Amino acid sequence: MMGFLPINRKEMQALGWTQPDFVYVIGDAYVDHPSFGHAIISRVLENAGYKVAILPQPDWKTPDSVNEFGTPRLGFLVSGGNRW
C-alpha cells in the first residue's frame, strides 16, 4: 500500500500514472481511515492491483470538475457522502 491516493492530476502524474483505472468521486473530504467506506473500497481495489484516484467534493455547479483525471481506464465510482 502506498501513501495517500492522488486527489488531483499533479499528484497522479507524480506517481508516474498517465491514467487511473478508477476515479472515485466522493461527496465528502478524502479521509484515508477504515471508518470511511470510500477508504476501504479504494484500498481493496489498490490491493488488487488497480490504480485508484480520489475526487473529493467536486464542484457540482461545474460539470467539467469531474474531468480532473481525464477518462479512467475502467470507470467512475460515485458516492454521495454522508448527510446528517
Side-chain angles (χ1 to χ4, degrees), residues 24 31-46:
Y24 199 163
V31 178
D32 196 2
H33 186 275
S35 67
F36 290 80
H38 62 264
I40 295 170
I41 293 167
S42 59
R43 293 304 184 169
V44 167
L45 288 168
E46 178 191 36

Side-chain angles (χ1 to χ4, degrees), residues 5-7 12 17 20-25 51-55 69:
L5 296 171
I7 61 168
M12 178 184 75
W17 301 359
D21 294 319
F22 294 100
V23 172
Y24 199 163
V25 183
K51 298 175 191 168
V52 182
I54 303 288
L55 186 58
F69 299 100

Side-chain angles (χ1 to χ4, degrees), residues 6-9 12 18 20 23 53-55 66-71:
I7 61 168
N8 57 47
R9 182 175 293 276
M12 178 184 75
T18 56
V23 172
I54 303 288
L55 186 58
V66 297
N67 293 327
E68 174 68 24
F69 299 100
T71 303

